[in-house]
Structures are given as C-alpha cells and as structure tokens.
Amino acid sequence: MKRVAILISGGGSNMVKLVESMTGDHPARAVIVGSNDPHAGGLAKAAAMGVPTFAVDHRAYKGDRAAFEAALIEPILAAQPDILCLAGFMRILTPDFVQRFEGRMLNIHPSLLPKYPGLHTHQRAIEAGDAEAGASVHLVTPELDAGPILGQAVVPVLPDDTPDQLAARVLVQEHRLYPEVLRRFALGDQTPVSLTAA
Ligand code: GRF
C-alpha cells in the first residue's frame, strides 16, 4: 500500500477528491495533509475524513525559504510517504526540497502545459484566444511547472468565458484527472492519462 502525503494552500478541493479516491482496492492511502496556511479550509476537510493534518505558516519565516522548508519537511518525513501530491499548493519549492522527492512528487496545474506555466492561466488562455484549455498533472522538477506530464484534461474555451467560468469548468476535470493519474502512478504506471470533458 503506497503512502500519500498531500500539500494544500486553500480549500483543497483536489485533495478531497484524491483522499476520497484512495479506498477499497486502490493501491494507495492518504497518510497526511499539510498546508503552508494554518487557516487553509482544506485542513478541516482532511480532518473530517480522518486524515492527520499539519500546518507550517510560511509567513513565520519571512521569505527564508530554506527555513520554511526545513520546518515543512519534518511532518512530511515523519509520515513516511511514498508519494507527495501538491494540490493547490501555492508556494514555490526550492530545488533542494524537490530533489528530496523527485520522481515521486506530483502537481496539478490549471493549464495545458507547457502552455501557461505560472499564474493567471485561464485569463492568459482567454486573452490568447485559445479554443481549448485544461489542466495538467506532472512530475515536479526544480523548474516551475515543467516536469514530465502524467495526464491532461481538455475543456473548450467558450466565446464569452470569464476566467472564473473557465476555471470552474477546468476544476471539474481536475477532480477527475488527478485521482486517475495518482491511481496509475501508485501502480507504477506512468502512461499519460488523457481526458476530454465528459
Ligand atoms: C486549482 O485551480 C488547481 O489547479 C490549482 O489550485 C486551484 C485550487 O485548487 N493548483 P484546490 O481547490 O485548493 O484543490
């Protein structure tokens, strides 16, 4: 049984779907949910599902990224995870941290990578006049939003979409994509998952 740690920064809707997916004959179980924000709404959701949680407030480290990560990594290593999933985790991790988990750390990013790494992905897709948008799950490497793609979900961009409307359409697909990618990854299968909007 693979042990999965999940890091969040906010509501944790992707984390909820991941935790809910890891039941029955699923090859993995969530062993801890952590956040850089003690007030992240997802922490209460994880606790309600019986998953241990922790928070390390990045604001207490005032930009000392290494000190923040030294505190962050302790409860993660204590949980002895096989896989680390970033799910709406909004802090950039240093290469040192990434290398501790490289090859077994996943992230979901709300664009069809390699398009639109970074922030404001939906606004950028709309402004570019793209006909399609979506989400990508990738292995985390030291370069931001740049690792090997493990899965993508594609949605249409509609003519009068606002960024929020597109984000909501993409989020529905994120909730299908990430659990499917994690299940395969936990089985050692890195064949990319390709989903189109149902
Ligand atoms: C989602 O758009 C996800 O793609 C991005 O963070 C947003 C919120 O995720 N990484 P969640 O609801 O906190 O899982």
Side-chain angles (χ1 to χ4, degrees), residues 122 125-127 129-134 155-161 166 169:
H122 304 304
I126 291 167
E127 287 172 357
D130 293 352
E132 291 181 336
V155 303
V157 179
L158 302 179
D160 54 356
D161 264 341
L166 181 52
R169 189 173 309 123

Side-chain angles (χ1 to χ4, degrees), residues 2-188:
K2 297 290 186 199
R3 299 169 60 85
V4 176
I6 306 173
L7 294 185
I8 65 171
S9 293
S13 71
N14 276 290
M15 174 276 298
V16 169
K17 298 299 182 185
L18 290 175
V19 172
E20 287 177 344
S21 74
M22 290 184 263
T23 58
D25 63 357
H26 191 292
R29 289 295 185 276
V31 292
I32 198 154
V33 170
S35 182
N36 61 292
D37 180 351
H39 305 294
L43 291 173
K45 296 173 191 170
M49 293 186 286
V51 182
T53 65
F54 76 87
V56 175
D57 190 341
H58 70 274
R59 284 172 288 262
Y61 297 88
K62 294 182 182 46
D64 183 344
R65 217 177 272 279
F68 164 64
E69 290 179 354
L72 180 74
I73 202 164
E74 257 188 55
I76 295 172
L77 293 180
Q80 298 179 301
D82 301 295
I83 301 169
L84 181 54
C85 288
L86 307 182
F89 186 67
M90 302 307 279
R91 304 303 295 170
I92 293 176
L93 295 164
T94 65
D96 285 351
F97 185 98
V98 170
Q99 270 141 18
R100 297 286 293 264
F101 297 97
E102 196 153 5
R104 57 198 181 101
M105 178 158 49
L106 282 56
N107 180 46
I108 188 159
H109 178 77
S111 79
L112 296 174
L113 291 172
K115 293 181 84 167
Y116 315 127
L119 298 174
H120 313 302
T121 59
H122 304 304
Q123 181 177 333
R124 290 154 69 188
I126 291 167
E127 287 172 357
D130 293 352
E132 291 181 336
S136 307
V137 176
H138 63 96
L139 280 169
V140 177
T141 57
E143 185 187 350
L144 183 68
D145 298 333
I149 302 283
L150 295 175
Q152 291 197 312
V154 178
V155 303
V157 179
L158 302 179
D160 54 356
D161 264 341
T162 64
D164 284 351
Q165 287 170 323
L166 181 52
R169 189 173 309 123
V170 171
L171 195 61
V172 170
Q173 300 307 318
E174 291 179 31
H175 294 163
R176 296 173 64 215
L177 179 67
Y178 212 166
E180 178 54 25
V181 170
L182 176 59
R183 191 184 60 78
R184 289 192 190 193
F185 190 79
L187 291 169

